[in-house]
Amino acid sequence: MGRADQQLRLIAEIVQVAGALEVEVWLRGGWAMDFFLGEVTRDHEDIDWFAWTDNAGALAEGLLLHGYQPIPGPPPDLQLDFAKDGLDNSFTFLDRDIAGRVVVAGGPWAGAPWPEGMLDAGPGRIGGLQCAIVSPQAQIEIKRMMPIWDPSRPRRTKDAEDIARLEAALRAWGNWSE
């Protein structure tokens, strides 16, 4: 079984665990793009997720019960990282500000707004596997802006390629204008 198949198995398991806990999770990054496009487009180093900060404890407990191991990383109020079968999953936490906007939950950028409509895309799908995803428009904005928001994170070739894939799909479906 290849890495993509193993990661898809973990995505399905996390969706099931989160659903049983009544915890919302959204794929972000490369896997969200693939679920939007409906196919695996490239190799993925890890699986990136968003979840509400209020659900961090329940999500962590559920993952631990299913054999996931915590990985030390960013501040726990910002993100939790887990590995299973040698594959990494990163859960970045979201919160809402007083106006109801989705914002960064913790760390040095706590309270900074994420792109408008980021969580409004609904589910994406690869084969029979369905998962909530970050909207493709928000993904494009995040991939474009991350090196500006955080200058320690340089532009990556895969991000430029992902942006091009997402823009082409949105143009083809009549959902994109620059």
Side-chain angles (χ1 to χ4, degrees):
M1 179 183 296
R3 180 158 60 171
D5 290 331
Q6 291 175 308
Q7 289 173 323
L8 286 166
R9 183 179 49 76
L10 291 182
I11 290 168
E13 183 175 69
I14 289 171
V15 167
Q16 182 180 14
V17 168
L21 295 169
E22 297 182 3
V23 168
E24 291 179 289
V25 293
W26 293 263
L27 279 173
R28 63 184 182 90
W31 273 113
M33 175 192 66
D34 283 0
F35 270 70
F36 172 71
L37 297 173
E39 64 182 348
V40 179
T41 61
R42 63 173 172 83
D43 185 51
H44 300 279
E45 296 172 20
D46 57 8
I47 306 166
D48 296 313
W49 301 87
F50 278 125
W52 295 111
T53 192
D54 292 347
N55 295 325
L59 183 59
E61 284 182 34
L63 293 173
L64 289 169
L65 289 172
H66 284 84
Y68 290 79
Q69 299 298 316
I71 303 170
D77 63 332
L78 175 64
Q79 178 175 309
L80 290 178
D81 296 334
F82 289 89
K84 184 173 182 180
D85 301 332
L87 300 170
D88 293 350
N89 286 269
S90 173
F91 295 86
T92 297
F93 294 119
L94 304 171
D95 205 353
R96 290 196 185 271
D97 65 11
I98 196 155
R101 293 176 301 192
V102 177
V103 298
V104 175
W109 297 281
W114 284 104
E116 187 82 22
M118 179 175 82
L119 305 179
D120 298 341
R125 176 185 311 274
I126 293 180
L129 179 54
Q130 182 174 296
C131 183
I133 61 170
V134 171
S135 76
Q137 295 87 348
Q139 290 208 70
I140 290 167
E141 182 177 345
I142 292 166
K143 285 180 176 284
R144 279 197 177 131
M145 295 302 297
M146 192 55 71
I148 295 166
W149 294 334
D150 183 357
S152 71
R153 297 189 60 170
R155 292 204 185 274
R156 303 175 300 184
T157 302
K158 71 178 182 176
D159 291 330
E161 292 167 350
D162 289 354
I163 289 168
R165 278 187 193 103
L166 288 168
E167 287 178 341
L170 288 168
R171 271 194 301 277
W173 298 330
N175 294 334
W176 184 254
S177 60
E178 295 196 53

